[in-house]
Amino acid sequence: MYAGGRPNRWARFLNRISAIVFSLGVVGHGAVTLETVNPQSRTLLTLPLVIASYEGNEYAVSMLGQGSRWVRNVRAARGKAVIHAGRRRSVVLEEVQADARAPILKAYLAQAPGARPHIPVEQSEPVDAFAAIAADFPVFKIRDAQ
């Protein structure tokens, strides 16, 4: 459904439905809707996302890697985004350095089973196995906007 890192028509349809349901806040388990703005066209990008919890913090992980539109939008917006899960929450996403991502990626796979086909390491592998792919999968620490 994500050939070349881009959603096909069916995936886009399912993402729209999931984004609506996740935004209501009824799913739980870290299911949210992430809203970012394209800095050039000023168009809103809304997509479903599972937030990873690790050591008391929340993280947004790009299961499709560096080329995800939301990642580009967040970087261009200096981390500004909105998370919607029952209520809208303005946040700042701070990119985690690649050398600190491995344990977060492992935790993410445990919490987001839908991401498993996109990340080339089995969830049962040790953290060291995730270090080899960590640079390919952006991770952002979520902080409330001030």
Side-chain angles (χ1 to χ4, degrees):
M1 291 195 325
Y2 290 90
R6 305 284 301 182
N8 65 19
R9 185 177 296 164
W10 179 242
R12 285 191 307 272
F13 172 76
L14 292 175
N15 283 344
R16 278 189 218 113
I17 300 299
S18 295
I20 291 167
V21 174
F22 287 13
S23 71
L24 297 173
V26 297
V27 176
H29 305 291
V32 302
T33 297
L34 177 70
E35 298 174 0
T36 65
V37 176
N38 181 310
Q40 293 172 339
S41 68
R42 307 303 300 160
T43 57
L44 181 67
L45 174 65
T46 303
L47 66 137
L49 196 68
V50 174
I51 298 301
S53 294
Y54 178 72
E55 292 188 344
N57 295 304
E58 295 179 311
Y59 296 90
V61 177
S62 174
M63 71 177 190
L64 298 178
Q66 296 287 350
S68 294
R69 286 190 304 160
W70 74 263
V71 170
R72 291 192 309 266
N73 289 356
V74 165
R75 287 174 175 158
R78 296 189 176 130
K80 294 178 186 173
V82 172
I83 290 177
H84 198 176
R87 65 179 179 91
R88 293 174 56 82
R89 181 175 140 204
S90 293
V91 296
V92 175
L93 304 180
E94 297 176 353
E95 192 155 5
V96 175
Q97 295 297 315
D99 61 354
R101 293 178 188 168
I104 300 164
L105 289 169
K106 182 172 174 64
Y108 172 68
L109 281 190
Q111 297 165 42
R116 291 179 187 157
H118 304 286
I119 297 181
V121 175
E122 293 293 324
Q123 196 273 325
S124 59
E125 293 289 323
V127 172
D128 291 345
F130 288 88
I133 57 126
D136 298 332
F137 295 92
V139 174
F140 297 86
K141 186 174 188 176
I142 301 170
R143 297 190 188 278
D144 288 326
Q146 298 297 329

